[in-house]
Amino acid sequence: MAREGRKGGRRGVASRKGGAIDQLPWSQSRLAFPSFEFVSEEQLQKIHDTSIRVLSEAGIRVMSPRAADLFAAAGAIVDRDTMTIRIDESIVNKALETVPSEFSMVARNPQKQISMGGTAINFGLVAGPPNTHDCINGRRAGNHRDYCNFIRLAHHFNAVNIIGNQVVAPMELPSNTRHLDTYLANLTLSDLTFHCTAIGRGRAMDGINMMAISRGIPVAQMAETPGVLTVISVNSPRLLDDAMTDGLIAMAEHSQPVSITPFTLMGAMTPVSLPAAMAQQNAEALFGVVLTQLVNPGTPVLYGAFTSNVDLRSGAPAFGTPENTKANIIAGQLARRYGVPYRTSNANASNCVDLQAAYETMMSTWGATLGGANLIYHAAGWLEGGLTASYEKFILDVEIIQNIKEFLKPIDFSEDELGLDAIKAVPTGGHFFGESHTMERYETAFYRPLLSDWTNYENWQAAGAKDALTRATALWQQALEEYQQPELDPAIAEELEAYVAHRREEIGSNEP
Amino acid sequence: MAREGRKGGRRGVASRKGGAIDQLPWSQSRLAFPSFEFVSEEQLQKIHDTSIRVLSEAGIRVMSPRAADLFAAAGAIVDRDTMTIRIDESIVNKALETVPSEFSMVARNPQKQISMGGTAINFGLVAGPPNTHDCINGRRAGNHRDYCNFIRLAHHFNAVNIIGNQVVAPMELPSNTRHLDTYLANLTLSDLTFHCTAIGRGRAMDGINMMAISRGIPVAQMAETPGVLTVISVNSPRLLDDAMTDGLIAMAEHSQPVSITPFTLMGAMTPVSLPAAMAQQNAEALFGVVLTQLVNPGTPVLYGAFTSNVDLRSGAPAFGTPENTKANIIAGQLARRYGVPYRTSNANASNCVDLQAAYETMMSTWGATLGGANLIYHAAGWLEGGLTASYEKFILDVEIIQNIKEFLKPIDFSEDELGLDAIKAVPTGGHFFGESHTMERYETAFYRPLLSDWTNYENWQAAGAKDALTRATALWQQALEEYQQPELDPAIAEELEAYVAHRREEIGSNEP
């Protein structure tokens, strides 16, 4: 399990001399406060009871004979005509017995091991946008060059703990082997764990195999400390497709973690009322959790949540809404109830990096944090409801993540920090600037921001009156300049290249 | 006590037809969740114990013989040479016995009565900036015209519950009678309660007298339901000046609420460590609370908090920092411990309405909300560390306040809302758009934002690609056009004018 504290990171003290970007060191953030009990135990029970009735009375449709067999063997009622599977509470409870409440993940840098579960909190790079944007070059289709740049940024900033699935899709590369290019970039340009796509068994296995190669271990050993994670999206309402199910099975067989994430926009994929949306999400998530344990008891699994709402005037998806914030917190209460690590997201619906992007992201992030999310996916770079990965939004999000990480830092209540003598030493109406108690803590007392500018108006004007968006543009450029590729054993690099070449040929034009 | 629900407000349904601005109705928001216990009972006790030692060993300096007499009579140790007053825990405890745990305030509109204390949460207009800014006319010195515009905006938007002290200073008016002009604007352009300045007895009495006139009641009756509030700032560390003390005494004599607010920037006015800052703030706040009860037991009083930090590289004040967020929550825990209503602030240090302004405001606001603040002062319009009242920031803040109010709205967990039948009615992979459960809740299911734009990228582009700042400029202009001055009995208006004329003459050039 990762320890609290500094490790594997860099603190660019040079930036105070005008050098490298100043940032927080790498650390495993943990919630230092008790769980936030937003809704009552009784209300949680109502959600739970409703979701069990959804599972036992309506069921979930799963387009996979293998999954149907596993559920049938576990005592589920399987309708082979419609492939609808109904399960009762005892099947859920039995599966929950074998779910690990906390597990670790690591890529090739043991100092960047992360913990999923318990009080741990991790932040992931945005995943999936078809487009990318920065304020210099504008909006464009996803491509391999931008893909690599985002991996460099994720590696450079300690705020990012894990790489999501395809931060931007490299649209110019063949779609059936694109995953190999992105895995290779993840493993050579960074030393972080990542999300490998599980649309079908092949893509999942490539992720598992390549991570094992990069760590210089046999695939079997990946079960001890997983290195890749996948997200299985439920096609809400109540549908799990065959490719997703195959991917889930492949990951579970190799004990690699799976996040079961119903995509539940209230008003579209669920009823408009929040309790109903939570009940449906809960049913779908629990169903996927059960499947992982039927495949391989003990498989690490996350309770995934992505409940937000649509704009009922236009049908457009909305994120970072008050409803989304509540859902993020309640889902955390449910996941804790079941002892399952919890994944949610940080999202917003703005079309540019503006005030809306900032406040919606904050609503989302506070909900996720108060929900005790072990993984906040899409935490850095998400824009346009997920259709664009933005460079400036990435910098904004790193600042927001750092603020949250500092907020989570435990407070020292020792006598020295309570500072009675320090208070008494300064006369009434005086100041504490030169005091020894102050000077001794000068360097580390407060969070030093990445993006915020605290100079006064006159100095800010004199320095060009740059707003935070303008400063963000400068920061991602500087970070790409400062970026240093992590060293990789040439033999391992060669083995990775060979794997990709072999698989590229094998897949050819045969696989979808 | 104000009831939950719609009253006195307007919901501009017309805006969906392109008419009036759509906003939330007037309501008394209340926390619907249990208190957030961020630090432990033991840690709170350490803060309390340290603050009691500050009060009994170091004491507070008060530049007022009247206050010294009151403390001496209560058993305090008073050093008449230095005017330093030391009190022990028993004096604090005795005073806390008479502090009301909740009280109401109202101006001339009984439908806009607000509650301070318990679970109530209220949002105040920014107070005190010498400058104002909007994106059309730029930055300029505070003046009466802009003052009146901000009062109109505060009246127009239901998000604002109370007017702060001088949203912008009308710099062109004589400083010794300026308060009369601002009180008159508050009472004629809005029907909200307000903060009357308590720098000296005269300004406090003018506020009390004018509010009584506007309500058509004798001053003595103002004790039943107060109509004005003041903030007594402690000149931290440990100094209460004579003008502030005189103002406090005048307000307490008339049972009008006082917020005792130490201005405690860590590193400048307190030690840099958060526990020490909280202990000092607690000592100073409790001292002021005690004084109100010595003047007049039962005086409504708020525990005020304004603990943030300075940038230790430049000495510049910083707001909306992680440290400020923590302080906002812990202060709420302390206030609840003492059973004293709690006031804190929403502040940021940005020089323009940009990403920084938005995320710092969100950090501040979440801290205040999780702290259970009964009054979030400076909640709308604060910019530049408090040196500028901004029109666009006001609109941004109204959106943020509305998001928080919606977040606080209790969730209905009835069978209908749990929606089992609604979930079962839609086939797997289907959608809920046309379902009766959806249609019945169509209008009110989700928060409808003021500033957010949820259209897709193409439509947003086609509509001019306006970012949120540009939209905010349009919104404050529209609001000023839509604003309707609340009706006032002409006899009362005349009496107010006469009072102001009389006092203007009386003050002349005699008072400072």
Side-chain angles (χ1 to χ4, degrees):
Chain A
M1 208 179 77
R3 286 160 322 201
E4 180 71 34
R6 300 188 179 205
K7 50 180 175 125
R10 63 203 89 78
R11 176 135 200 156
V13 279
S15 95
R16 273 165 290 150
K17 302 160 199 154
I21 293 171
D22 190 10
Q23 63 165 317
L24 294 184
W26 177 273
S27 75
Q28 174 69 70
S29 285
R30 288 188 174 273
L31 298 188
F33 48 81
S35 308
F36 182 49
E37 302 308 328
F38 180 65
V39 301
S40 70
E41 197 51 49
E42 186 195 351
Q43 290 166 334
L44 277 190
Q45 185 67 38
K46 285 183 178 177
I47 295 172
H48 171 82
D49 291 344
T50 306
S51 65
I52 292 295
R53 290 191 61 187
V54 170
L55 287 172
S56 61
E57 296 174 22
I60 308 283
R61 195 166 172 219
V62 188
M63 310 307 285
S64 157
R66 170 84 194 279
D69 293 344
L70 286 165
F71 274 106
I77 297 168
V78 178
D79 180 334
R80 297 276 174 177
D81 291 339
T82 62
M83 293 300 277
T84 302
I85 295 169
R86 291 185 286 149
I87 59 176
D88 64 19
E89 190 161 7
S90 68
I91 295 176
V92 173
N93 288 341
K94 183 147 191 300
L96 289 175
E97 283 172 17
T98 56
V99 172
S101 60
E102 189 160 355
F103 60 88
S104 293
M105 291 185 68
V106 73
R108 63 185 162 96
N109 181 352
Q111 295 190 296
K112 289 190 175 176
Q113 182 165 313
I114 56 178
S115 182
M116 292 278 178
T119 56
I121 179 165
N122 298 287
F123 300 89
L125 184 62
V126 62
N131 307 300
T132 186
H133 180 275
D134 69 72
C135 289
I136 299 171
N137 305 297
R139 192 174 186 257
R140 55 204 178 265
N143 60 80
H144 191 249
R145 187 175 168 277
D146 284 307
Y147 184 93
C148 292
N149 273 344
F150 275 107
I151 302 305
R152 291 183 183 104
L153 290 173
H155 176 80
H156 191 74
F157 286 102
N158 295 316
V160 180
N161 302 118
I162 182 168
I163 295 170
N165 181 40
Q166 295 201 0
V167 49
V168 283
M171 306 287 273
E172 79 280 26
L173 302 179
S175 62
N176 59 351
T177 55
R178 200 181 277 167
H179 64 285
L180 297 168
D181 302 289
T182 61
Y183 296 166
L184 188 64
N186 296 349
L187 291 168
T188 54
L189 300 177
S190 92
D191 57 9
L192 299 172
T193 60
F194 65 86
H195 170 155
C196 68
T197 178
I199 302 177
R201 185 176 185 88
R203 290 183 176 86
M205 287 312 305
D206 287 333
I208 296 170
N209 288 331
M210 290 175 70
M211 178 56 81
I213 292 170
S214 81
R215 286 166 63 181
I217 59 171
V219 169
Q221 208 177 312
M222 285 271 286
E224 290 170 22
T225 310
V228 287
L229 167 151
T230 201
V231 172
I232 299 297
S233 296
V234 180
N235 290 344
S236 305
R238 301 185 292 112
L239 177 64
L240 203 53
D241 74 20
D242 54 345
M244 278 287 178
T245 311
D246 288 350
L248 179 155
I249 291 170
M251 291 290 282
E253 282 174 353
H254 294 83
S255 298
Q256 299 305 293
V258 174
S259 171
I260 310 293
T261 311
F263 185 47
T264 37
L265 292 180
M266 292 182 270
M269 296 83 145
T270 78
V272 288
S273 52
L274 187 60
M278 298 311 297
Q280 185 186 315
Q281 172 195 287
N282 199 52
E284 294 172 350
L286 286 178
F287 186 87
V289 168
V290 170
L291 179 53
T292 62
Q293 303 305 301
L294 295 181
V295 174
N296 181 10
T299 294
V301 60
L302 291 105
Y303 180 109
F306 207 144
T307 294
S308 193
N309 54 296
V310 294
D311 177 353
L312 280 176
R313 283 168 287 188
S314 68
F319 303 100
T321 63
E323 295 80 13
N324 172 233
T325 307
K326 291 180 187 188
N328 276 349
I329 300 174
I330 298 170
Q333 291 185 262
L334 288 163
R336 277 197 300 281
R337 180 195 161 110
Y338 302 124
V340 182
Y342 170 42
R343 169 253 152 136
T344 186
S345 299
N346 159 11
N348 73 90
S350 188
N351 285 303
C352 61
V353 185
D354 65 350
L355 303 173
Q356 178 183 341
Y359 65 72
E360 287 184 346
T361 293
M362 270 296 197
M363 287 296 288
S364 219
T365 301
W366 273 100
T369 303
L370 292 171
N374 305 113
L375 172 57
I376 305 183
Y377 204 71
H378 302 303
W382 166 295
L383 194 64
E384 245 187 69
L387 295 179
T388 286
S390 154
Y391 283 75
E392 281 80 13
K393 181 65 169 38
F394 177 92
I395 295 293
L396 167 64
D397 289 340
V398 167
E399 178 70 297
I400 288 175
I401 292 169
Q402 292 202 144
N403 268 273
I404 295 288
K405 284 173 79 82
E406 281 289 305
F407 171 76
L408 295 174
K409 219 167 68 175
I411 304 168
D412 177 359
F413 277 88
S414 64
E415 287 300 315
D416 268 3
E417 296 298 298
L418 282 157
L420 178 64
D421 293 338
I423 295 170
K424 288 162 80 173
V426 171
T428 58
H431 67 77
F432 291 77
F433 280 120
E435 294 296 305
S436 61
H437 188 273
T438 307
M439 299 308 286
E440 286 158 14
R441 290 159 178 81
Y442 172 94
E443 289 281 343
T444 56
F446 308 133
Y447 170 58
R448 291 198 302 269
L450 175 75
L451 182 59
S452 295
D453 183 332
W454 291 341
T455 54
N456 67 28
Y457 186 81
E458 288 69 26
N459 290 338
W460 175 76
Q461 277 279 347
K466 289 175 189 147
D467 70 5
L469 182 62
T470 307
R471 301 194 300 268
T473 302
L475 278 165
W476 67 254
Q477 291 175 286
Q478 186 182 348
L480 286 178
E481 274 170 32
E482 288 178 8
Y483 164 80
Q484 291 189 316
Q485 186 167 345
E487 279 182 36
L488 181 64
D489 180 336
I492 285 178
E494 204 173 303
E495 199 179 338
L496 283 172
E497 295 278 2
Y499 181 92
V500 168
H502 165 72
R503 281 289 291 152
R504 214 187 289 276
E505 196 175 336
E506 193 170 76
I507 293 170
S509 52
N510 296 324
E511 289 182 27
Chain B
M1 209 178 73
R3 286 160 322 200
E4 178 70 32
R6 301 185 177 207
K7 53 184 172 117
R10 66 202 86 78
R11 175 133 200 159
V13 278
S15 94
R16 274 165 289 149
K17 302 161 199 153
I21 293 171
D22 190 11
Q23 63 165 316
L24 294 184
W26 177 274
S27 76
Q28 174 69 70
S29 285
R30 288 188 174 272
L31 298 190
F33 47 81
S35 308
F36 182 48
E37 302 309 327
F38 180 65
V39 301
S40 69
E41 197 51 50
E42 187 195 351
Q43 290 166 333
L44 277 191
Q45 185 67 39
K46 285 183 179 178
I47 295 171
H48 171 81
D49 290 343
T50 306
S51 64
I52 292 296
R53 290 191 61 188
V54 170
L55 287 173
S56 61
E57 297 174 21
I60 308 284
R61 194 165 172 220
V62 187
M63 311 306 285
S64 157
R66 168 86 194 278
D69 292 345
L70 286 165
F71 274 106
I77 298 169
V78 178
D79 180 333
R80 297 274 175 179
D81 292 337
T82 62
M83 293 300 276
T84 302
I85 295 170
R86 289 185 287 149
I87 59 175
D88 64 18
E89 189 161 9
S90 69
I91 295 176
V92 174
N93 288 341
K94 183 148 191 299
L96 289 175
E97 282 172 18
T98 56
V99 171
S101 60
E102 188 159 357
F103 60 89
S104 292
M105 291 185 67
V106 74
R108 63 185 162 96
N109 181 352
Q111 294 189 297
K112 289 192 175 175
Q113 182 164 313
I114 56 177
S115 181
M116 293 278 178
T119 57
I121 178 165
N122 297 288
F123 301 89
L125 183 63
V126 62
N131 305 302
T132 186
H133 180 274
D134 69 72
C135 289
I136 298 171
N137 306 297
R139 191 173 187 259
R140 54 202 179 267
N143 60 80
H144 192 249
R145 186 175 170 278
D146 284 308
Y147 184 92
C148 292
N149 275 342
F150 275 107
I151 301 305
R152 292 183 182 104
L153 291 173
H155 177 79
H156 191 73
F157 285 102
N158 295 316
V160 180
N161 302 118
I162 182 169
I163 294 171
N165 181 40
Q166 295 201 0
V167 49
V168 284
M171 307 287 272
E172 79 278 26
L173 302 179
S175 62
N176 59 353
T177 55
R178 199 181 278 168
H179 65 284
L180 297 168
D181 303 289
T182 60
Y183 296 167
L184 188 64
N186 297 349
L187 291 167
T188 54
L189 300 177
S190 92
D191 56 10
L192 299 172
T193 60
F194 65 87
H195 170 155
C196 68
T197 178
I199 302 177
R201 185 176 184 88
R203 290 182 176 86
M205 286 314 304
D206 286 333
I208 296 170
N209 289 330
M210 290 176 69
M211 178 57 80
I213 293 170
S214 80
R215 286 167 62 181
I217 59 172
V219 169
Q221 208 178 311
M222 286 272 287
E224 289 169 24
T225 310
V228 288
L229 168 152
T230 201
V231 172
I232 299 297
S233 294
V234 180
N235 289 343
S236 305
R238 301 186 290 113
L239 177 64
L240 202 53
D241 74 22
D242 54 346
M244 278 288 177
T245 310
D246 288 350
L248 179 153
I249 291 171
M251 292 289 283
E253 282 174 353
H254 294 82
S255 298
Q256 300 304 294
V258 174
S259 172
I260 309 294
T261 310
F263 184 45
T264 38
L265 293 180
M266 292 181 269
M269 295 83 146
T270 78
V272 288
S273 53
L274 185 60
M278 299 312 296
Q280 186 186 314
Q281 171 195 287
N282 198 53
E284 294 171 351
L286 286 178
F287 186 87
V289 168
V290 170
L291 180 54
T292 62
Q293 303 306 301
L294 295 181
V295 175
N296 181 10
T299 293
V301 59
L302 291 105
Y303 180 110
F306 207 143
T307 294
S308 193
N309 54 294
V310 294
D311 177 353
L312 279 176
R313 283 168 288 187
S314 68
F319 303 102
T321 63
E323 294 79 13
N324 172 235
T325 307
K326 291 181 188 188
N328 276 348
I329 300 174
I330 297 169
Q333 291 185 264
L334 288 163
R336 278 197 300 282
R337 180 194 161 110
Y338 303 124
V340 182
Y342 170 42
R343 169 253 152 137
T344 186
S345 298
N346 159 13
N348 73 91
S350 189
N351 286 302
C352 60
V353 185
D354 65 350
L355 303 173
Q356 178 184 340
Y359 64 73
E360 287 184 346
T361 293
M362 269 295 196
M363 288 296 287
S364 220
T365 301
W366 273 100
T369 303
L370 291 171
N374 304 114
L375 172 58
I376 305 183
Y377 203 71
H378 300 303
W382 166 295
L383 195 64
E384 246 186 69
L387 295 179
T388 286
S390 154
Y391 283 75
E392 282 80 13
K393 182 65 168 38
F394 177 91
I395 295 293
L396 167 65
D397 288 340
V398 167
E399 177 71 297
I400 288 175
I401 293 169
Q402 292 203 143
N403 267 273
I404 295 289
K405 285 174 79 82
E406 280 290 305
F407 171 75
L408 295 174
K409 218 168 69 176
I411 305 168
D412 177 359
F413 277 88
S414 64
E415 286 300 315
D416 268 4
E417 295 298 298
L418 282 158
L420 178 65
D421 293 339
I423 295 170
K424 287 161 80 172
V426 171
T428 58
H431 67 77
F432 290 77
F433 281 120
E435 295 297 305
S436 61
H437 188 274
T438 307
M439 298 308 287
E440 287 158 14
R441 291 160 178 80
Y442 172 95
E443 291 280 344
T444 56
F446 307 132
Y447 170 58
R448 291 197 302 268
L450 175 76
L451 182 58
S452 295
D453 183 332
W454 291 340
T455 55
N456 67 28
Y457 186 82
E458 288 68 27
N459 290 338
W460 175 76
Q461 277 279 346
K466 290 175 189 148
D467 69 5
L469 182 62
T470 307
R471 301 195 300 268
T473 301
L475 279 165
W476 68 254
Q477 292 175 286
Q478 186 182 349
L480 286 178
E481 274 170 32
E482 289 178 8
Y483 164 81
Q484 293 189 315
Q485 186 167 346
E487 279 181 36
L488 182 63
D489 180 337
I492 285 178
E494 205 172 304
E495 198 179 340
L496 283 172
E497 295 279 0
Y499 181 93
V500 168
H502 165 72
R503 282 289 292 151
R504 214 188 287 277
E505 197 174 338
E506 194 170 79
I507 293 171
S509 52
N510 296 324
E511 288 183 28

